[in-house]
Amino acid sequence: MADRIYLCLAHMSESGAEQKYVKEAFDTNWVVPLGPNVNGFEEDLENFVNQNEQTKVNLDRKVVALSSGTAAVHLALIACGVKPGDEVIVQSFTFCASSHPITYLGATPVFVDSEAETWNMDPELMEEAIRDRIAKTGKKPKAIVPVALYGMPYYIDRIMEIANRYDIPVIEDAAEGFGSKFHGQVLGTFGEYGVLSFNGNKMITTSGGGALICPSPEAKNKVMWLATQAREAYPYYQHEAIGYNYRLSNVCAGIGRGQMTIVNDHIARHREIARMYEEAFAGVKGITYHKELSGMEANYWLSTILLDEDLKVKGEEAAYAEAVKGAVGGAAGVVHGGGTVHTDCEPNRNVEAMRLVLDHEGIESRPLWKPMHKQPVYQQAPAYVNGVSEALFKRGLCLPSGPMVTDADVCRIIETIKDALIG
Ligand SMILES: *Cc1c(COP(=O)(O)O)cnc(C)c1O
């Protein structure tokens, strides 16, 4: 059988630029969480996020390189003044790193459901949540966190209009949406702060890493200070605030600099694969491909499809017969608990059957993110829901994408899916 096809794998440049920068770090003994690669990577990121093809007017956002996207969310919340007892509005349909840092701060996430077009935060429901929280607690939520799910842009114009009206800062979680655009402007540059991730499975990688897009040099300075244990300017270590060890290593930043030489090729490849899926599934009854809307440009980090509830898939009887034994998402050998087959909110039987057919053919696929308001750990958190994310979760599947996926792979994935349909 051909090699296994994964959802999204790291891919280094043909030119070996990553190794050149990493070697430089060793040769010059900058094997620390600061140095020329960190500065160079931040500069590359600033040039990238500040461009606007449409208006040709460049922004002047600043970027801080950090050890992870999760760290970027955490520091953005602190920079927005989130404290114990505060509330933060966050998209429910997301990966847990959007909301977990809210709890690190002793604050409470207030989950808001998605609209059905982009699958991202529903602006009307968001406003309803703001009003209701003010009515119930007498306090405004401290921040709003929309998420560019699978790289699909959110309705940032409507979200910003409402957020500005209530004077609440927006933290864009563009961890999956690096390079996605709304009317030509790069995601992460609309809100007060923008979160990026360079984990091994994202659009580009530093093995592990992230960044925070900041509105000003002063804001960047404060985030850098927080990311380096909040040291005061004295000859000795003087601490007047609590800081974190969140800076990106100069070695990892070298990988990032190399990756920035091919980021546009990566995005182009993800979009090319998206087009292939879109065309292939356009004629398949019962399967809907999730596409970008006009005026929005998705990076298509992962391509996603929905299966109609009444679509018949081979092997449905056997779906959910066995508990999952491996780690979901390949979390480096870490397996915890589980052991049961069902939860009270799970993908439909035909979706699980399709996942098993693909898996058997050596193709990795994955259900959509399970909404946070359905996660046991967030049972107590307030949630404003409309049923959209839960319905999508039950019907959706993520498909392999990225530069490691060949045209032949895409054809095999499409054929495998079509062959798995009954009738
Ligand atoms: C990956 C991801 C993050 C966090 O990134 P890490 O670099 O893995 O910490 C945050 N939010 C979303 C939506 C993500 O998918």
Side-chain angles (χ1 to χ4, degrees), residues 16 27 69 111 151 165 167 191 213 228 251 286 313 333 344 363 381 389 399 416:
D27 290 348
F111 293 112
R165 196 147 31 82
D167 194 24
I213 305 173
T228 50
V251 175
V313 174
D344 65 352
I363 300 163
S389 64
L399 301 178
T416 306

Side-chain angles (χ1 to χ4, degrees), residues 284-334:
V284 180
K285 201 165 163 291
I287 295 184
T288 310
Y289 183 75
H290 181 41
K291 325 186 260 217
E292 67 193 3
L293 304 177
S294 106
M296 299 187 187
E297 198 177 312
N299 65 10
Y300 285 106
W301 170 55
L302 293 180
S303 273
T304 51
I305 53 172
L306 297 176
L307 307 192
D308 280 2
E309 215 173 338
D310 51 10
L311 190 73
K312 291 276 171 290
V313 174
K314 287 176 188 165
E316 278 181 40
E317 345 48 80
Y320 291 117
E322 241 185 290
V324 170
K325 293 195 189 73
V328 176
V334 182

Side-chain angles (χ1 to χ4, degrees), residues 19-339:
Q19 289 188 40
K20 178 185 103 91
Y21 287 117
V22 169
K23 183 170 182 305
E24 233 169 68
F26 280 84
D27 290 348
T28 56
N29 207 25
W30 279 105
V31 187
V32 279
L34 78 165
N37 281 338
V38 175
N39 299 337
F41 186 39
E42 287 177 343
E43 203 177 301
D44 291 346
L45 289 168
E46 284 168 4
N47 290 334
F48 182 83
V49 302
N50 282 328
Q51 62 182 348
N52 187 328
E53 287 162 11
Q54 219 162 299
T55 61
K56 307 284 178 204
V57 180
N58 282 359
L59 302 171
D60 59 354
R61 298 278 162 150
K62 298 291 168 195
V63 175
V64 182
L66 299 167
S67 53
S68 71
T70 310
V73 175
H74 193 180
L75 293 186
L77 292 165
I78 295 171
C80 288
V82 176
K83 300 223 158 55
D86 285 338
E87 292 189 337
V88 175
I89 289 191
V90 56
Q91 184 168 316
S92 180
F93 202 19
T94 186
F95 177 59
C96 63
S98 308
S99 55
H100 280 3
I102 299 168
T103 69
Y104 300 170
L105 291 166
T108 304
V110 173
F111 293 112
V112 170
D113 215 325
S114 295
E115 31 78 12
E117 284 135 31
T118 73
W119 298 5
N120 295 324
M121 193 181 281
D122 181 330
E124 274 70 53
L125 198 54
M126 176 187 110
E127 180 162 18
E128 198 180 307
I130 296 172
R131 283 219 206 98
D132 196 54
R133 294 327 292 169
I134 295 172
K136 287 208 166 86
T137 69
K139 277 203 311 189
K140 272 193 305 195
K142 271 290 180 65
I144 298 171
V145 187
V147 185
L149 223 58
Y150 308 116
M152 203 59 78
Y154 20 66
Y155 280 116
I156 191 63
D157 51 348
R158 290 153 66 190
I159 290 171
M160 289 308 297
E161 186 274 315
I162 296 163
N164 288 338
R165 196 147 31 82
Y166 289 88
D167 194 24
I168 302 173
V170 170
I171 300 167
E172 293 179 69
D173 183 345
E176 300 173 9
F178 184 46
S180 296
K181 292 170 189 159
F182 187 91
H183 293 301
Q185 186 174 333
V186 178
L187 295 192
T189 62
F190 292 85
E192 190 78 1
Y193 292 93
V195 169
L196 302 176
S197 168
F198 312 118
N199 205 339
N201 56 355
K202 296 280 163 77
M203 286 305 283
I204 63 162
T205 186
T206 57
S207 70
L212 190 62
I213 305 173
C214 302
S216 64
E218 296 72 37
K220 170 172 176 164
N221 207 43
K222 177 160 187 209
V223 169
M224 273 171 45
W225 172 74
L226 284 168
T228 50
Q229 303 289 28
R231 297 174 215 173
E232 304 296 336
Y234 291 92
Y236 41 86
Y237 282 69
Q238 168 85 1
H239 298 288
E240 297 173 12
I242 297 294
Y244 302 83
N245 180 9
Y246 278 171
R247 207 69 168 110
L248 185 66
S249 118
N250 194 54
V251 175
C252 295
I255 305 174
R257 282 178 97 178
Q259 290 271 285
M260 285 307 284
T261 64
I262 48 166
V263 60
N264 287 320
D265 303 337
H266 277 204
I267 294 172
R269 181 59 187 157
H270 281 260
R271 288 182 59 81
E272 208 165 67
I273 290 172
R275 249 194 328 272
M276 290 175 72
Y277 283 130
E278 183 187 344
E279 278 168 28
F281 292 124
V284 180
K285 201 165 163 291
I287 295 184
T288 310
Y289 183 75
H290 181 41
K291 325 186 260 217
E292 67 193 3
L293 304 177
S294 106
M296 299 187 187
E297 198 177 312
N299 65 10
Y300 285 106
W301 170 55
L302 293 180
S303 273
T304 51
I305 53 172
L306 297 176
L307 307 192
D308 280 2
E309 215 173 338
D310 51 10
L311 190 73
K312 291 276 171 290
V313 174
K314 287 176 188 165
E316 278 181 40
E317 345 48 80
Y320 291 117
E322 241 185 290
V324 170
K325 293 195 189 73
V328 176
V334 182
V335 181
H336 185 266

Side-chain angles (χ1 to χ4, degrees), residues 281 284-288 305-320 347-361 365 394-397 413-423:
F281 292 124
V284 180
K285 201 165 163 291
I287 295 184
T288 310
I305 53 172
L306 297 176
L307 307 192
D308 280 2
E309 215 173 338
D310 51 10
L311 190 73
K312 291 276 171 290
V313 174
K314 287 176 188 165
E316 278 181 40
E317 345 48 80
Y320 291 117
N348 293 332
R349 202 165 266 278
N350 60 0
V351 171
E352 175 59 5
M354 184 64 82
R355 188 187 72 79
L356 290 171
V357 168
L358 288 165
D359 185 59
H360 184 75
E361 289 300 315
S365 68
K394 289 179 177 168
R395 291 177 50 205
L397 210 53
I413 294 162
I414 291 163
E415 283 318 304
T416 306
I417 291 173
K418 285 184 180 169
D419 283 350
L421 302 178
I422 300 171

